Amino acid sequence: MATTTSAAPPAIGIFERYLSIWVALCIVAGIGLGFALPGLFAVIAEAEVANVNLVVAVLIWLMIVPMLLKIDFGALGSVRQHWKGVGVTLFINWAVKPFSMALLGTFFLGYLFAPLLPEGEISSYIAGLILLAAAPCTAMVFVWSNLCDGDPAYTLSQVALNDLIMVFAFAPLVALLLGVAAITVPWDTLLISVALYIVAPVIAAQILRRAVLASGGQSALNRLLSRLGPVSMIALLATLVLLFGFQGKAIIAQPLVIALLAVPILIQVYFNAGLAYWLSRRFGVAWCVAAPSALIGASNFFELAVAAAISLFGLTSGAALATVVGVLVEVPVMLSVVAIVKRSCGWYERGAAA
């Protein structure tokens, strides 16, 4: 079995550190290619089976599987060692974050910003935000936890537990919140998305992980992860180029939309991180657990959100655009949360001790 410390990367890589810059470049490249090569994008859009775009599906798998290879479900046995921190994070991830995002999205996009948004896309934007918040982050959490000196055993066990819950809870939770937001739920497409982008990649990644560990041990797995890391990020960027290629006309016509979509995302991240951090302090959780707890509670599995939005609502939908905005703001916002929890360590430990 892999040691718990091996899952955390030694430092944030250049792709992760400058992800928002790459996303901004993808906006420019995607919009430009969308106008220059409309025929190519039309062909890609038509390559579908059961509402699943085949090109995007391949790219999503290249994104998700390398991330899931880092997860050791054997670490679930250590959950009881940090039961308070685990309880706080589970509460935030599954009882607070999706519902707070639904409320924020409905308030800001459905009411406050409604006159500034395309009327026919408002419900789709809200759906994209719900998809963004309905699944906790899987891979980037290891980066955030490492940057704030979080307990690697807690981080690994919490991520493994969240992934296991996600297999069973993602579809019902999304269906519930979309129904509350008065959005028609295509159950067949939703279940296909869960099977294609959660269940199947988890199984495939665990089979590959065990095979690599059995043949070459942890060093072989580390080498494989180092090779697949850039592939995962390149696949993400390629997917974004496609999305912005399809969304180019809408973005140029309504550039304000991206800024307005970012507002509820930003509020949601800081609210959930702050609540998780405060609850951990009240329950006397050690800071090395509370710090990653706040980060896991706030971050989103945006790769899954992008895939589900494309499957449920289409490449050119407002939902897909909303999830892409989540990618755009993820890195700078989470780095700011890392800075906040590190600078407040003394304040936290005084309160936790009391």
Side-chain angles (χ1 to χ4, degrees), residues 85-96 154 158 161-162 165:
V86 169
V88 168
T89 311
L90 289 179
F91 173 69
I92 298 297
N93 280 158
W94 299 104
V96 176
Y154 160 77
Q158 181 69 74
L161 182 58
N162 271 335
I165 294 173

Side-chain angles (χ1 to χ4, degrees), residues 16-81:
E16 293 88 350
R17 182 181 298 276
Y18 300 108
L19 182 56
S20 292
I21 296 177
W22 309 138
V23 173
L25 292 175
C26 287
I27 294 177
V28 176
I31 292 175
L33 290 173
F35 278 94
L37 303 170
L40 173 62
F41 281 83
V43 171
I44 294 173
E46 293 173 358
E48 289 188 349
V49 175
N51 294 325
V52 174
N53 186 275
L54 299 180
V55 176
V56 175
V58 171
L59 291 174
I60 295 295
W61 264 65
L62 290 175
M63 270 191 263
I64 293 178
V65 171
M67 298 175 181
L68 293 175
L69 279 172
K70 301 176 182 178
I71 308 302
D72 178 13
F73 285 102
L76 288 173
S78 64
V79 165
R80 60 183 179 273
Q81 300 175 16

Side-chain angles (χ1 to χ4, degrees), residues 89 92-93 97 136-138 140-150 154-155 158-159 162 269 272-274 276-277 280 287-300 330 333-342:
T89 311
I92 298 297
N93 280 158
K97 186 170 69 171
C137 186
T138 292
M140 291 295 286
V141 166
F142 292 118
V143 175
W144 313 136
S145 178
N146 186 63
L147 289 177
C148 67
D149 301 320
Y154 160 77
T155 304
Q158 181 69 74
V159 171
N162 271 335
V269 169
N272 286 294
Y277 200 50
S280 295
W287 182 84
C288 63
V289 171
S293 175
L295 297 164
I296 297 173
S299 56
N300 306 307
E330 173 91 1
V333 173
M334 293 309 299
L335 286 175
S336 72
V337 174
V338 169
I340 291 170
V341 297
K342 291 185 73 172

